[in-house]
Amino acid sequence: MYRIGEYGVYNNNEYKITKSMNGETRILTKDKSLTDDGFIDRNNSGVYSKVVQPEELSDVYQVVTKANYRNGVVQIIGENDNQYCIAVLDSRIAKELDIPRTDKYGYTKWVKKDELEVFEEKKMLATDRKKSKGLDR
């Protein structure tokens, strides 16, 4: 499984964080056991969301899933049963790793999961409720 985006802790559980067009902060989960009465499945998609105040969140961080591939570091941008889609922007790295150009500035390739050593990079945005209050999302 790969993750990309902003995540945070609400009531001691981790959730993906999004911001709606009207500025509301929402937390998301597919795990029904992590929901309470405030969560709803707006589109019958199995994704439950809840509007929260930013100060209700702690340990807010940005997550990007990356992998070591053929002695280089790539970002994972897609997944199916047995493969990840990897991507790089640097043409030199793409050439070294044999990743073809797929658009004007990007290079992507589907590779078997067992060819990669997957890891996550986390960048902390806030570590306590007071800091979370002032975050721009």
Side-chain angles (χ1 to χ4, degrees), residues 58-115:
S58 63
D59 294 338
V60 177
Y61 42 90
Q62 190 74 31
V63 175
V64 177
T65 303
K66 295 188 175 186
N68 292 317
Y69 175 69
R70 296 184 179 172
N71 297 318
V73 177
V74 296
Q75 183 173 341
I76 296 177
I77 61 167
E79 178 180 21
N80 63 29
D81 288 339
N82 60 359
Q83 294 181 314
Y84 283 119
C85 184
I86 59 173
V88 297
L89 297 175
D90 187 311
S91 62
R92 291 175 294 124
I93 295 171
K95 185 175 180 177
E96 289 173 15
L97 301 178
D98 192 31
I99 301 174
R101 185 176 180 175
T102 52
D103 67 26
K104 187 173 181 178
Y105 300 108
Y107 302 81
T108 62
K109 179 179 183 175
W110 285 92
V111 298
K112 292 180 181 176
K113 289 181 176 181
D114 62 6
E115 295 180 51

